[in-house]
Amino acid sequence: MAARGIFVTFEGPEGSGKTTQAHLLAKYLKDKGVDLILSREPGGTSIGDKIRDILHDPANTEMFPWAEVLLYSASRAQLVAQTIRPALEAGKVVVCDRYADSTMAYQGYGRGLDLAALREIALENGAQSISDHLGFTRDGSGGVEMGHFAPVPPTLDALDASSRNIELIMEYFDPLHFYIENIAYLFRL
């Protein structure tokens, strides 16, 4: 039986640097000879990238919130089936820019959708019960250090605030998560 791989995710609001940090970690691990796959969500597969185009098209202003959830979950299901699960079963490291926590933050807390139903769709169905082994959530404010949780006042815009409210998100996800300012500190890049 092959060694089980490791699944690492990066979460956070737009512009917080999660993509940069995911790429830095992937480069660091590749330079160390680690066999890995770098991916993103939504997208990461040809089908997922087409779904991403629909989700990010500014012309789609009338999208029903549950339709949005199902599109994100469809992209995630394709990514898990085609890329993540096979890579983990082959003993590879998978580094992903966004994953199921983003759905809980943006669609759950941001759009006010039922969290239990959302968890079932987003994690148990869309993610096919694959959760990350190690997650990093970045705060866009620049003032968060490793291990520090920063609740966001409810007066802030729901979509931005909810993506940073890791205490609420962790109520639904159990993997090891760190709320950090710079992943380079952890890996001494």
Side-chain angles (χ1 to χ4, degrees):
M1 185 171 171
R4 182 105 173 123
I6 298 173
F7 185 26
V8 181
T9 61
F10 286 84
E11 301 279 3
E14 292 300 319
S16 64
K18 68 194 159 308
T19 301
T20 299
Q21 297 302 318
H23 284 267
L24 285 172
L25 177 61
K27 181 185 180 328
Y28 174 80
L29 294 174
K30 279 186 179 182
D31 289 349
K32 298 288 184 187
V34 174
D35 192 7
L36 72 86
I37 291 177
L38 176 63
S39 193
R40 69 177 183 180
E41 198 186 272
T45 66
S46 60
I47 292 170
D49 287 340
K50 289 175 183 172
I51 294 170
R52 180 184 185 90
D53 290 343
I54 294 168
L55 288 164
H56 290 184
D57 185 341
N60 293 334
T61 58
E62 297 178 1
M63 189 176 298
F64 180 66
W66 282 107
E68 183 181 61
V69 167
L70 293 171
L71 286 170
Y72 277 111
S73 294
S75 176
R76 182 173 303 125
Q78 188 67 31
L79 181 63
V80 168
Q82 187 176 336
T83 304
I84 295 172
R85 184 181 309 276
L88 293 175
E89 288 173 354
K92 295 180 182 179
V93 171
V94 177
V95 177
C96 196
D97 180 357
R98 290 204 188 276
Y99 194 59
D101 289 358
S102 289
T103 300
M104 294 305 295
Y106 284 96
Q107 282 71 43
Y109 294 101
R111 301 240 188 262
L113 299 180
D114 179 81
L115 297 176
L118 190 59
R119 184 174 196 271
E120 184 176 340
I121 291 169
L123 184 60
E124 290 154 18
N125 293 318
Q128 301 162 48
S129 299
I130 299 256
S131 61
D132 52 355
H133 297 109
L134 181 63
F136 296 99
T137 301
R138 288 185 48 85
D139 179 0
S141 72
V144 177
E145 297 177 5
M146 189 170 138
H148 175 74
F149 295 117
V152 179
T155 57
L156 294 177
D157 176 72
L159 287 177
D160 290 333
S162 63
S163 67
R164 295 186 350 214
N165 201 335
I166 194 66
E167 289 185 78
L168 294 176
I169 294 168
M170 287 183 69
E171 177 181 333
Y172 287 91
F173 293 95
D174 296 325
L176 180 61
H177 281 81
F178 292 98
Y179 199 44
I180 63 166
E181 174 53 27
N182 193 329
I183 190 71
Y185 169 79
L186 185 64
F187 288 95
R188 291 177 175 74
L189 299 177

